[in-house]
Amino acid sequence: MDSQRAKEILLLYRPGASDANDPEFADALEQAERDPELARWFEAHCARQSLVRHQLKHISVPQELRQRILDQVAGHSKIVWWRRPSFHALAAAAAIVLVAGLAWFWTRSNGGNSFADYRDQIVRGVQRFYDANNMDMLTNNLTEIRAYLAQNSAPSDYVLTKPMEKLPGIGCNVLKWRSNKVSLVCLDSGNKNILYLFVVDRSAVSDPPRTDPPQFVRIRKLMSASWSHEGRIYILAASGEEDVLRRFL
Amino acid sequence: MALIDNEGRMPARPDLESLVDSYYSSLYQFAFSLTRNEDDACDLTQQTFLVWASKGHQLRDVTKVKTWLFTTLYREFLEKRRRQVRFPHFELAEVGDDLPRVAPATADQLDSGTVVRALGKLDEVFQAPLTLFYLEDYSYKEIAEILQIPIGTVKSRISRGIVQLHNLLTQGARASGGTRKDLHG
């Protein structure tokens, strides 16, 4: 190795760093020991490298930056729980379990096609196989939810009550009950509570519920309210008592 | 280092505060070297941790967290600049003719501002690799990972960057009346 080549290699040498252990530098360092002129250049070069590095490491950092970062990230983290990326990942995995579970649950049932059968099975099913992590589609956009349901030939012309229209969506699913497609719209009613709204064609059952007033029935842990409207049957279900559902009717 | 436990093991995932304490200064210094503007550097540093808050869970190997943060900051910088220019590639062999002809004693003329200003005058493609080279003592492999360019390109850019930087610093020192002894060639 001649001195010119050694100089090219030593140009990348950082004194005090791990470069001394790099075999690529070993020959060049040996050449510097043999060539006094190269040795002088290398000494000067190391001094410059140390100086530049020292000065860059002493760029002053604004004192308030640390707190600003923590405050900003904390503010960012206050996004609603179901919009967190970890939730999205969990939702994708759990959706598979949900679809399989719901399919099994509803296909094994041999009940009739009364409204009570439909309501009980579908609300029980959602408690058994469904949680907040399970959605075909995850969005807070109610228009997108409606479009997704329409695209999948599920009831999409449903009418939301005014209080429900004001809630952000969470997502939706397309379910099946005795060959009838059921739209499940999930709404965020606050405090990590989900409103489940099931919509199915009125012809799916032999005895659809009345238009008004809604029928309230508790099915395990969920309270449900059912009514008919313009060819559709609606079931609204949520944790809590009747008064919780009434706020959204 | 707060991110390593007493037995030298990396915890499953560092908490945000530990992460900020460990890296916000060096990230800011990197950002400042790129932008030469305090506000922009703060913005980039904050944005980097915001990206961590939303996407950090995707990082499977937590030992790579530092590299991940620097990569993210650099990406944010590039996005901010919206540069359209392709980076030229210089071979290491091309450097030889330009090796710096500078004197050793410039310590009394140099401060952080001078170095950062000189970095800012470099061709853009040299700035980030050179800053990482000096600031964090990263290996060339790590710099290549952060900047997502081949290791040979990293070396050639650093070589040429050093030459440019030292020439700029020397010119600055000469302009300010310092005496120089040419040790090269």
Side-chain angles (χ1 to χ4, degrees), chain A residues 117-247:
Chain A
D117 287 335
Y118 162 71
R119 180 193 58 209
D120 291 355
Q121 286 175 21
I122 207 151
V123 177
R124 278 185 186 148
V126 87
Q127 293 177 76
R128 202 164 158 185
F129 299 112
Y130 202 93
D131 63 28
N133 299 327
N134 300 324
M135 317 228 167
D136 285 349
M137 182 195 203
L138 197 66
T139 177
N140 63 352
N141 187 323
L142 296 179
T143 306
E144 286 180 12
I145 289 176
R146 196 181 289 272
Y148 176 85
L149 294 169
Q151 192 178 0
N152 288 277
S153 307
S156 59
D157 56 350
Y158 49 82
V159 179
L160 295 179
T161 61
K162 288 201 182 314
M164 280 196 273
E165 277 180 344
K166 293 175 185 171
L167 297 177
I170 296 175
C172 64
N173 275 89
V174 177
L175 309 175
K176 257 193 168 183
W177 185 76
R178 304 200 194 293
S179 75
N180 295 286
K181 287 204 174 177
V182 180
S183 292
L184 169 55
V185 179
C186 298
L187 303 166
D188 181 8
S189 59
N191 297 322
K192 296 189 178 182
N193 289 321
I194 300 176
L195 282 185
Y196 301 97
L197 179 66
F198 302 91
V199 186
V200 71
D201 196 273
R202 202 164 188 264
S203 61
V205 300
S206 56
D207 54 344
R210 290 168 299 186
T211 301
D212 194 57
Q215 300 171 12
F216 290 92
V217 175
R218 171 164 290 283
I219 301 164
R220 294 187 179 169
K221 293 180 180 176
L222 295 184
M223 177 59 73
S224 71
S226 311
W227 69 97
S228 296
H229 183 73
E230 294 181 352
R232 302 294 191 200
I233 297 170
Y234 296 77
I235 299 174
L236 184 65
S239 297
E241 300 303 324
E242 197 174 307
D243 61 312
V244 173
L245 290 183
R246 285 192 183 280
R247 286 167 39 211

Side-chain angles (χ1 to χ4, degrees), chain A residues 4-5 7-9 11-14 16-19 22 24-25 37 40-41 43-45 47-66 68-70 72-74 76-77 85-86 89, chain B residues 16-17 20-21 24-25 28-29 32-33 38 42 45-46 49-50 53-54 57 92 95-96 99-100 102-104 106-107 110-112 115-116 119 133-135 137-140 155 158-159 162-163 165-166 169 183-185:
Chain A
Q4 181 65 19
R5 176 64 186 145
K7 197 180 283 186
E8 289 171 11
I9 293 171
L11 193 63
L12 291 167
Y13 184 84
R14 288 171 293 189
S18 58
D19 295 347
D22 187 334
E24 193 176 358
F25 291 111
E37 189 181 348
R40 282 199 301 277
W41 175 88
E43 185 183 357
H45 174 68
R48 285 191 304 271
Q49 296 286 75
S50 297
L51 186 62
V52 171
R53 188 164 65 154
H54 174 81
Q55 295 301 350
L56 281 178
K57 284 178 180 287
H58 281 75
I59 291 172
S60 59
V61 181
Q63 286 185 343
E64 73 284 3
L65 179 58
R66 178 186 178 277
R68 277 166 59 185
I69 293 167
L70 292 173
Q72 190 178 19
V73 174
H76 176 79
S77 300
S86 55
Chain B
L16 177 74
E17 198 158 341
V20 172
D21 287 343
Y24 87 100
S25 293
Y28 173 84
Q29 289 169 335
F32 189 82
S33 300
E38 183 177 317
C42 285
T45 310
Q46 288 177 255
F49 284 106
L50 271 181
S54 61
H57 66 281
L92 191 56
V95 176
L99 287 170
V102 293
T106 51
L110 277 185
D111 58 22
S112 296
V115 174
V116 170
L119 272 171
F133 173 80
Y134 282 122
L135 197 60
D137 297 337
Y138 273 123
S139 69
Y140 303 110
K155 287 185 175 181
I158 290 174
S159 294
I162 289 173
V163 172
L165 179 67
H166 289 179
L169 292 173
L183 294 181
H184 176 73

Side-chain angles (χ1 to χ4, degrees), chain B residues 8-24:
Chain B
R9 293 175 310 211
M10 184 70 88
R13 189 154 293 272
D15 66 90
L16 177 74
E17 198 158 341
S18 302
L19 209 60
V20 172
D21 287 343
S22 297
Y23 300 126
Y24 87 100

Side-chain angles (χ1 to χ4, degrees), chain B residues 3-82:
Chain B
L3 299 181
I4 306 291
D5 69 14
N6 291 336
E7 295 178 4
R9 293 175 310 211
M10 184 70 88
R13 189 154 293 272
D15 66 90
L16 177 74
E17 198 158 341
S18 302
L19 209 60
V20 172
D21 287 343
S22 297
Y23 300 126
Y24 87 100
S25 293
S26 51
L27 284 166
Y28 173 84
Q29 289 169 335
F30 180 43
F32 189 82
S33 300
L34 295 172
T35 63
R36 297 171 299 286
N37 178 292
E38 183 177 317
D39 290 339
D40 288 344
C42 285
D43 286 348
L44 277 174
T45 310
Q46 288 177 255
Q47 182 60 27
T48 300
F49 284 106
L50 271 181
V51 174
W52 169 263
S54 61
K55 295 184 178 172
H57 66 281
Q58 296 172 358
L59 180 67
R60 293 184 185 279
D61 182 358
V62 292
T63 62
K64 298 274 187 186
V65 66
K66 185 180 176 187
T67 304
W68 190 96
L69 289 170
F70 276 83
T71 303
T72 301
L73 188 146
Y74 186 60
R75 281 185 185 159
E76 293 293 323
F77 167 72
L78 291 179
E79 186 145 336
K80 201 167 184 175
R81 297 284 299 272
R82 293 180 182 170

